[in-house]
Amino acid sequence: MDDLSLKDVARRALGLVDLTNLNDDCTEADITTLTGRAVTPHGSVAAICIWPRFVAQGVRELAGTGVKVATVVNFPAGGTETSAVVAETRQAIADGADEIDLVMPYRAFMEGRKGFAEEQIIRVKEAIPAPAKLKVILETGEIKDPLLIHLASEIAIGAGADFIKTSTGKVPVNATLEAAEIMLTAIEEERRDHGRNVGFKPAGGIKTAEDAAAYLALADKIMGHNWVSATTFRFGASGLLDALIAELEGKTVHAGEGY
């Protein structure tokens, strides 16, 4: 890919980033640093994605910017205490969260408890009033089996997910193009069969403009060239933004470590 087209990718991708800090040692000062990076000379990211305890701070610091505040629930383990997850969700919404990234109870799902996983997603969705959005994290690197990844995508979509997301970024295998293809195919099937548009979010390990280009090309191939926008596609990343800005400014950067 030549420099011009990578620059075009960077321009396209910057507004699709969910700028993320889900480090275990994250502090209020780190959140202020994150919110300060969310609006760049080249445009704003789509959202920040942070721990629930920082939502009110993020909302306050991003007021008037148009940048959404996303947070995570049932994260990262994808446990099975649905009532606790619903309570966590309600508190995040009360604190001002625009988007909830829910870890599907993927271990229960893999053990054959598909109805349990579905019910948890349904109950969390019920706790999220419009226009707030629900993204469901499948943890595809743990599910592994392509047929099960497709089934998990179908279950999450059927239970009301506004987006389906690959990964928490906290396991050995996170976003992959193979999982993305399966998930985007399920999204296309939902659009074809029911006319409903569900979004897609690859997360974990996406660090360069070249990485972003590969996922965007896959989405264009499966969903069509006019489908990708911040309402349908996000990158969950911490280091990607710096790489995109460097590309736009003609600089070289080593993409940051992390989510």
Side-chain angles (χ1 to χ4, degrees):
M1 183 173 289
D2 63 34
D3 289 341
L4 177 62
S5 56
L6 261 188
K7 188 167 284 192
D8 290 340
V9 166
R11 193 173 292 113
R12 185 184 186 196
L14 190 147
L16 307 175
V17 171
D18 280 5
L19 184 62
T20 301
N21 187 331
L22 293 169
N23 297 333
D24 292 337
D25 60 355
C26 185
T27 65
E28 290 182 4
D30 293 329
I31 297 302
T32 297
T33 299
L34 195 76
T35 59
R37 295 174 59 211
V39 179
T40 83
H42 305 282
S44 301
V45 300
I48 62 167
C49 188
I50 55 180
W51 291 107
R53 65 184 179 273
F54 298 119
V55 165
Q57 179 187 351
V59 169
R60 187 171 63 249
E61 293 181 356
L62 288 170
T65 65
V67 177
K68 305 290 189 186
V69 175
T71 193
V72 290
V73 298
N74 208 20
F75 187 95
T80 56
E81 291 295 330
T82 296
S83 59
V85 180
V86 170
E88 190 178 27
T89 301
R90 287 185 174 137
Q91 184 60 55
I93 292 292
D95 287 343
D98 300 295
E99 300 171 357
I100 301 292
D101 288 27
L102 162 72
V103 182
M104 185 182 82
Y106 61 90
R107 291 187 187 87
F109 166 78
M110 291 164 65
E111 291 164 1
R113 299 172 65 196
K114 299 174 182 64
F116 176 86
E118 180 180 36
E119 178 67 17
Q120 184 173 112
I121 298 166
I122 289 170
R123 287 191 56 195
V124 170
K125 175 66 174 178
E126 288 172 349
I128 302 173
K133 301 294 185 185
L134 172 63
K135 308 191 199 93
V136 176
I137 304 169
L138 307 185
E139 203 68 292
T140 54
E142 294 292 284
I143 295 176
K144 297 183 176 70
D145 184 298
L147 292 176
L148 281 180
I149 292 171
H150 190 270
L151 180 58
S153 300
E154 289 183 327
I155 287 172
I157 290 168
D162 298 297
F163 276 72
I164 51 175
K165 174 177 170 181
T166 59
S167 321
T168 60
K170 300 288 190 180
V171 294
V173 176
N174 292 290
T176 66
L177 289 167
E178 292 75 17
E181 183 168 10
I182 295 165
M183 293 168 69
L184 283 162
T185 298
I187 288 168
E188 165 57 17
E189 289 165 353
E190 176 70 7
R191 183 175 69 174
R192 180 195 68 207
D193 296 342
H194 301 108
R196 180 167 169 254
N197 216 7
V198 176
F200 173 65
K201 179 177 173 179
I206 301 167
K207 297 178 179 178
T208 67
E210 289 88 351
D211 292 340
Y215 285 96
L216 290 170
L218 184 63
D220 289 344
K221 175 185 171 186
I222 294 173
M223 302 301 299
H225 284 269
N226 296 321
W227 182 76
V228 169
S229 75
T231 61
T232 56
F233 191 103
R234 302 286 182 83
F235 289 109
S238 59
L240 179 61
L241 179 62
D242 288 341
L244 298 178
I245 291 173
E247 195 66 50
L248 289 168
E249 296 179 351
K251 300 174 182 173
T252 300
V253 71
H254 297 289
E257 294 301 318
Y259 181 79

